Amino acid sequence: GDCINTLDIPSLTQTPPRSMTDATRLHLDLPFKDGRAQVIADYERAYLADVLKRFRGNVTQSAQHCGVDNKTFYRKMQEYDLDKRDFKA
């Protein structure tokens, strides 16, 4: 209808939608700035791990897919303690 009521807006205390993965979990107990940084870090780590898995640890292909140079990709891998050898299989 034309009106929004409380049934249309889920409460923050409800369980997150099923589409929300561990990589995008919310950190509602932290101050906004810290929570935001943690959500971004969680996403970046999961994204990089997925790309490395997809390209079987090939950093050059992974970096190209992400649109960054190898040096940047290696720096992010180091930041998130990701080892390309873990994704070779």
Side-chain angles (χ1 to χ4, degrees), residues 41-77:
D42 291 348
Y43 172 80
E44 283 185 352
R45 186 180 195 294
Y47 179 82
L48 294 174
D50 182 70
V51 171
L52 282 165
K53 183 179 177 182
R54 214 178 313 169
F55 291 102
R56 297 188 176 121
N58 184 309
V59 174
T60 300
Q61 289 179 346
S62 297
Q64 286 174 347
H65 176 79
C66 293
V68 299
D69 60 33
N70 285 11
K71 185 177 178 179
T72 299
F73 199 87
Y74 273 113
R75 184 175 46 78
K76 285 293 187 179
M77 286 174 59

Side-chain angles (χ1 to χ4, degrees), residues 2 12-13 18 21 38 43 60 78 80 85:
D2 294 334
L12 289 177
T13 60
R18 289 184 185 177
T21 66
Q38 189 60 53
Y43 172 80
T60 300
Q78 185 175 18
Y80 296 114
R85 294 174 291 195

Side-chain angles (χ1 to χ4, degrees), residues 12-20 24-26:
L12 289 177
T13 60
Q14 289 180 338
T15 305
R18 289 184 185 177
S19 62
M20 186 170 283
T24 57
R25 71 179 162 252
L26 300 178

